[in-house]
Amino acid sequence: MSGPVVAGVDGSRRSLAAAEWAAREAVHRGVGLLLVHACPPLPRRVSPVPGVDAWQHVGTQMLDQAVAGFAARHPELEVTGRHTDDEPDQALLTAASAAGLLVVGARGWGGFDGLAVGSVALRVAAAADCPVVTVPGEPRRADPARGGVREVQLGFNAHAPADTTADFAFRAASERDALLRVVHAWALPPASPSAWMLSVLEEDRGRWEDQESQVVSDALRGWRERYPQVSVLPDVVLLNPAQALVRTSGRARLLVLGRRTGPRVAERRLGPVAHAVLHHARCPVAVVPHPE
C-alpha cells in the first residue's frame, strides 16, 4: 500500500481517464503518481531512422504534457513520468513490482469497436505483483435510485475468504467514506435440480440461504472489528458469481475481486469470474492478487 500509484498512458482518452482515477487514488493514499508510457521501437523496415526518432519524440512529448497537466490539476500530488521502449504490458508489470497499485484503461488506442477490455489490461490484471484497477472507457453515472450513495463492492467467497482482497475492499470503503456491499453468490446443492428434489426446493431454499448468510456473517466478523467505521451490507444471492457481480456493478464506485497466485495457478491467466467481470462490469474493477 505504501508504493506509488502507477498508471499507463498512451495519449488516448481512455488512458487519460484512467490516469485521472489513479491521481485521485494517489491523493487518497498520500503517495505519488507515476505515469508510464511504453513506446516500442518501430522495425526499420517499417520506418526509416528519422521516422523512428519522430515516433519516440511524440511519445515523450505526450508524456511530458500529461505529467504537467496532472501536476497542475493536483498540486498536492507528486507526479512523475517514465518513458520506455518496452512492450506496454512488460513496462507496466515492471513498474508494478514496486507499486502499491497499478491503474489501466480498459482499452487504449488499439482494439476495435465493441471490444470491452484490451489485451494489455487483461495481461497486467492476470500477472501484476500488486492490485490492478481497470477503468472502463465511459465514466459511470450515479444511479438516481440509490440517491448518489457511495458504494464499494467486494466479490466474496465466505467459505474461502481471501484476507488480502477483503482488506483492500475495507480500506477502499474507509478511504471513500462509502458503504461496502459484500456480494456472496451461492448455488443449490448439486442434487437439487433432479426430479425427486423439485418438490422440496422452495421449503429448503430459505434454510440454505440462512445458512449461507450465517457463514458470511461469521467470515466478516474480524474485518468489521478492524474497520468499525465502515458500514457493511452483506448481499447473499442465489446466482452465478460473475452474473451477481456484473448485475450489481452499476451502483458501485469500485468493485474488488481476488486473483489467486501460487504454483498451481496457471501463469498469466485470470479465473473465469474475474475475466467475465472485467468484460462486463459498469464500474472500475480492482483485481487483488492473494495466495492460494
Side-chain angles (χ1 to χ4, degrees):
M1 293 291 289
S2 59
V5 174
V6 174
V9 292
D10 63 3
S12 67
R13 177 179 55 81
R14 296 181 182 90
S15 75
L16 293 175
E20 185 62 45
W21 193 98
R24 294 194 297 270
E25 181 66 17
V27 171
H28 276 306
R29 295 176 175 226
V31 299
L33 173 66
L34 171 62
L35 303 179
V36 176
H37 177 248
C39 188
L42 293 172
R44 298 295 183 185
R45 66 179 182 275
V46 173
S47 178
V49 173
V52 171
D53 292 341
W55 173 252
Q56 293 289 334
H57 176 71
V58 168
T60 302
Q61 189 176 46
M62 181 279 298
L63 179 61
D64 291 344
Q65 290 175 351
V67 169
F70 280 99
R73 289 193 297 277
H74 302 277
E76 73 279 33
L77 184 61
E78 180 183 356
V79 185
T80 56
R82 179 185 299 172
H83 180 84
T84 172
D85 59 4
D86 289 335
E87 292 295 329
D89 57 339
Q90 188 54 54
L92 293 171
L93 290 174
T94 298
S97 64
L101 184 71
L102 172 61
V103 181
V104 293
R107 278 180 54 195
W109 283 118
F112 51 85
D113 289 344
L115 180 67
V117 185
S119 59
V120 172
L122 289 173
R123 287 171 189 155
V124 298
D129 294 329
C130 68
V132 177
V133 173
T134 301
V135 179
E138 296 300 326
R140 188 192 67 82
R141 295 180 179 176
D143 183 353
R146 298 288 300 171
V149 173
R150 289 187 294 271
E151 185 169 305
V152 172
Q153 296 176 357
L154 168 64
F156 191 67
N157 179 359
H159 297 281
D163 289 355
T164 307
T165 307
D167 198 61
F168 183 99
F170 271 85
R171 287 192 183 194
S174 178
E175 290 168 354
R176 292 164 174 78
D177 191 25
L179 171 72
L180 178 61
R181 178 182 295 269
V182 179
V183 182
H184 171 76
W186 64 287
L188 293 171
S192 58
S194 61
W196 68 273
M197 285 286 288
L198 289 177
S199 61
V200 296
L201 280 179
E202 287 303 319
E203 63 186 70
D204 284 349
R205 172 175 168 168
R207 176 170 57 86
W208 289 330
E209 189 162 10
D210 288 344
Q211 291 173 351
E212 292 295 320
S213 296
Q214 186 61 52
V215 171
V216 172
S217 178
D218 292 342
L220 290 174
R221 186 172 296 115
W223 284 291
R224 286 189 174 204
E225 292 173 353
R226 288 198 294 274
Y227 295 91
Q229 73 278 19
V230 175
S231 297
V232 180
L233 176 63
D235 192 353
V236 180
V237 290
L238 178 59
L239 202 62
N240 172 277
Q243 289 179 300
L245 293 167
V246 169
R247 185 183 67 175
T248 195
S249 67
R251 71 184 82 190
R253 301 294 178 93
L254 178 67
L255 170 58
V256 181
L257 303 174
R259 171 176 65 84
R260 290 183 298 168
T261 62
R264 294 184 298 172
V265 179
E267 185 181 5
R268 300 178 71 87
R269 289 189 181 276
L270 291 169
V273 173
H275 192 274
V277 171
L278 281 175
H279 278 85
H280 299 289
R282 291 171 287 165
C283 67
V285 178
V287 177
V288 182
H290 64 84
E292 288 187 277

